[in-house]
Amino acid sequence: MTRPDVPCSAVAVDLAVLTVRDRCLHVLVVVRAKRPHQGRLALPGGFLEPDEDLDQAAHRELAEETGLDAADLNVHQLRSYGAPDRDPRGRVVSVCYVALMPDLPLPIAGGDARAADWAPVEQLLAEPDQRAFDHHLLLTDAVEHARDRLSHTTLATTFCPPEFTIAQLREVYEIVWGTQLDPSNFHRKVTGAPGFLVPTGGRTAGTGGRPATLHRAGPATRLHPAILREPHSEQHTKGATGHEYR
Amino acid sequence: MTRPDVPCSAVAVDLAVLTVRDRCLHVLVVVRAKRPHQGRLALPGGFLEPDEDLDQAAHRELAEETGLDAADLNVHQLRSYGAPDRDPRGRVVSVCYVALMPDLPLPIAGGDARAADWAPVEQLLAEPDQRAFDHHLLLTDAVEHARDRLSHTTLATTFCPPEFTIAQLREVYEIVWGTQLDPSNFHRKVTGAPGFLVPTGGRTAGTGGRPATLHRAGPATRLHPAILREPHSEQHTKGATGHEYR
DNA sequence: CCACTTATGGTCACATTGACAAAAATACGG
DNA sequence: CCGTATTTTTGTCAATGTGACCATAAGTGG
């Protein structure tokens, strides 16, 4: 059905699957088994199938790589990448998705036997030229995207198990943002944001301190008021990722 | 160069070019000259050329449709659309860009002689099924994107001429958001946001009121503090566009 | 000079925030 | 069993941002 008079490209869907693990932000990576970039770390992904929506492809790839049903996870399109030379095999336009998930037992070795494992984001970002294709750029953008979203949405709860304490949630923010947050003020903010947290009635025990009340994620998606990343101040002319707004 | 063993798609780049005109938000549309959707209004766009980056393609299309050099305009990728049946001719994945510009003299009839003209966004959004392809969805997302960005970035100035008054800037916010803003409080906020506005020294004249000082866009891109859309309050569980975060 | 219009500045009550203190509720060591 | 350390949770206070609203400044047109 594709028309012969129109330039034709392969369309790939790549995934930046993020989680918080061992007090660090991790991303799911695979070791490439084939050329090009054989042996290098890459984001999991694959080509769009003929009768598939982009979102469907992302969910399928996620299921193949992690064995997880993405239905209740958080998978969102980030942006597309189409530099003409980004894949030496030919023209490939890649649609990148970001998925956030709690620290589940393990990424099952993928359906197609590629080795998939968690890698610390900080370490990967420190060596810009070791990734396959332009996946360093994809990862940079994905992390920045996740950081931004934590401020304005209730996304942080997707890094947590179904029931969690406010300290666990605070740890997520601290790790993703690389900052320290005041426990007392953080508590006030998140409990004050309508629809963010729902107390389950349960409490923790055996942690050597006052037991914490357990919470579930509430119905809200946008956060009001937002939880700000920077202690305020400063001229904000920065923007790291190369996809600067305005 | 494209490998035969991989599903192949056409990749299109579509543009939602927004401007403020006659106190309404307008978008640049073309009347489709060919089937499918002949005679219907569509967002301008075209297919990705073999040796072109996505951003380059967006700039090229913008130049073709408006005759404008996009260098100093504001063109950003929104997201991609890839429903299998979105184009009856075959598989087409479309990367949508949003461009914001001041109300320049006119959109020159495009290089390929298609009629390009401004259409009021409100009117287009009111008739969901009259657009070509899924361009109603693209437009919905583009407008929501622009609205969100006004709060947190200095994007609003790109709707204004090089020199503008604070009242003109306020009008941009009011029109894009569909709200009324208090002139006095708005003035306090925008003049207080560091790097947002730079007074040029000039003043208006002949407007039947106190002359306003003229400003240029400042160096800042992010806005601090943000200029909030809603007078506060309310449970924010909404999200209109179908691409809900969380 | 006066009415009118628009821009800009000020006031005040209120909400949000960060820094910090204090209280509550547990574990653990003696 | 008591005191101390630890962690959660609740307050307090000053600084700042915000909305509602009023006042003043500085033009135009009669």
Side-chain angles (χ1 to χ4, degrees):
Chain A
M1 271 293 274
T2 309
R3 302 186 308 162
D5 60 325
V6 154
C8 185
S9 317
V11 175
V13 172
D14 290 318
L15 284 162
V17 185
L18 301 175
T19 197
V20 170
R21 208 181 148 79
D22 305 330
R23 297 197 53 85
C24 285
L25 189 62
H26 283 64
V27 62
L28 192 69
V29 290
V30 297
V31 181
R32 281 191 59 82
K34 300 183 254 182
R35 308 187 54 106
H37 299 294
Q38 187 175 6
R40 290 196 144 177
L41 295 184
L43 298 182
F47 290 102
L48 184 65
E49 299 288 339
D51 276 317
E52 213 176 28
D53 186 13
L54 292 172
D55 288 7
Q56 284 172 30
H59 285 217
R60 173 179 56 76
E61 293 290 344
L62 184 62
E64 287 179 12
E65 304 289 347
T66 68
L68 291 170
D69 183 5
D72 47 7
L73 291 184
N74 216 290
V75 188
H76 283 109
Q77 192 185 121
L78 173 59
R79 61 177 285 134
S80 298
Y81 299 81
D85 56 352
R86 59 181 295 280
D87 190 322
R89 294 168 295 183
R91 196 65 205 268
V92 179
V93 171
S94 185
V95 186
C96 185
Y97 278 76
V98 183
L100 272 48
M101 41 180 285
D103 184 15
L104 290 176
L106 71 165
I108 295 163
D112 49 2
R114 283 175 289 181
D117 202 0
W118 297 115
V121 165
E122 193 181 8
Q123 187 177 316
L124 295 187
L125 289 184
E127 21 177 68
D129 298 319
Q130 301 303 308
R131 269 357 102 219
F133 308 109
D134 52 1
H135 287 191
H136 184 266
L137 178 58
L138 271 62
L139 180 59
T140 304
D141 288 351
V143 170
E144 186 57 28
H145 178 81
R147 284 185 176 146
D148 267 2
R149 287 296 159 191
L150 284 206
S151 311
H152 305 289
T153 71
T154 58
L155 218 57
T157 55
T158 61
F159 282 123
C160 297
E163 295 201 354
F164 54 88
T165 68
I166 294 188
Q168 284 177 287
L169 184 65
R170 176 164 46 86
E171 202 183 75
V172 167
Y173 277 91
E174 290 180 340
I175 290 170
V176 176
W177 285 350
T179 60
Q180 289 280 105
L181 299 173
D182 181 275
S184 154
N185 292 334
F186 183 82
H187 189 280
R188 183 185 1 132
K189 278 204 208 179
V190 296
T191 53
F196 192 11
L197 300 181
V198 178
T200 65
R203 307 183 84 82
T204 56
T207 54
R210 173 171 174 172
T213 60
L214 290 170
H215 298 263
R216 261 196 305 272
T221 62
R222 305 296 260 250
L223 224 39
H224 234 60
I227 298 182
L228 293 185
R229 183 153 142 208
E230 6 224 347
H232 86 18
S233 76
E234 285 179 287
Q235 311 276 11
H236 293 266
T237 313
K238 59 179 186 180
T241 87
H243 295 291
E244 186 56 38
Y245 271 107
R246 168 49 215 282
Chain B
M1 270 292 274
T2 310
R3 303 186 307 162
D5 61 325
V6 153
C8 187
S9 316
V11 174
V13 172
D14 290 318
L15 285 162
V17 185
L18 301 176
T19 198
V20 171
R21 208 181 147 79
D22 304 331
R23 295 199 54 85
C24 285
L25 189 62
H26 283 65
V27 61
L28 191 69
V29 290
V30 297
V31 181
R32 280 192 59 82
K34 299 184 256 183
R35 307 188 54 107
H37 298 296
Q38 187 174 7
R40 288 197 145 177
L41 295 184
L43 298 181
F47 289 102
L48 183 65
E49 299 290 338
D51 276 315
E52 211 175 28
D53 186 14
L54 292 172
D55 288 7
Q56 285 171 30
H59 285 218
R60 174 179 55 77
E61 292 290 343
L62 184 61
E64 287 178 13
E65 304 290 347
T66 68
L68 291 170
D69 183 5
D72 48 5
L73 291 184
N74 217 290
V75 187
H76 283 108
Q77 194 185 120
L78 173 59
R79 61 176 286 135
S80 297
Y81 299 81
D85 56 352
R86 59 182 295 280
D87 191 322
R89 292 167 297 181
R91 195 65 204 268
V92 179
V93 171
S94 185
V95 185
C96 185
Y97 278 76
V98 182
L100 271 49
M101 41 181 284
D103 183 16
L104 289 176
L106 70 164
I108 296 162
D112 50 0
R114 282 176 290 183
D117 203 0
W118 297 114
V121 165
E122 193 181 8
Q123 186 177 316
L124 295 186
L125 289 183
E127 22 177 68
D129 298 319
Q130 300 304 306
R131 268 357 103 222
F133 309 110
D134 52 2
H135 287 191
H136 184 265
L137 178 58
L138 272 60
L139 180 58
T140 305
D141 288 350
V143 170
E144 185 57 28
H145 178 81
R147 284 183 175 147
D148 266 2
R149 287 296 157 190
L150 284 205
S151 311
H152 304 288
T153 72
T154 58
L155 219 56
T157 55
T158 61
F159 281 123
C160 297
E163 296 201 355
F164 52 89
T165 67
I166 294 188
Q168 283 177 288
L169 184 64
R170 175 165 47 84
E171 200 183 77
V172 167
Y173 277 90
E174 290 180 341
I175 289 170
V176 176
W177 285 349
T179 59
Q180 288 279 105
L181 299 173
D182 182 275
S184 157
N185 292 335
F186 183 82
H187 188 280
R188 188 193 349 147
K189 279 204 211 180
V190 297
T191 53
F196 192 10
L197 301 182
V198 178
T200 65
R203 308 183 83 82
T204 56
T207 56
R210 173 174 175 173
T213 60
L214 290 171
H215 298 261
R216 260 196 307 271
T221 62
R222 308 295 261 251
L223 224 39
H224 234 62
I227 298 182
L228 293 185
R229 184 155 140 208
E230 6 224 348
H232 85 17
S233 77
E234 286 180 286
Q235 312 276 12
H236 293 265
T237 315
K238 59 179 185 180
T241 88
H243 295 292
E244 188 53 39
Y245 272 108
R246 162 47 216 285

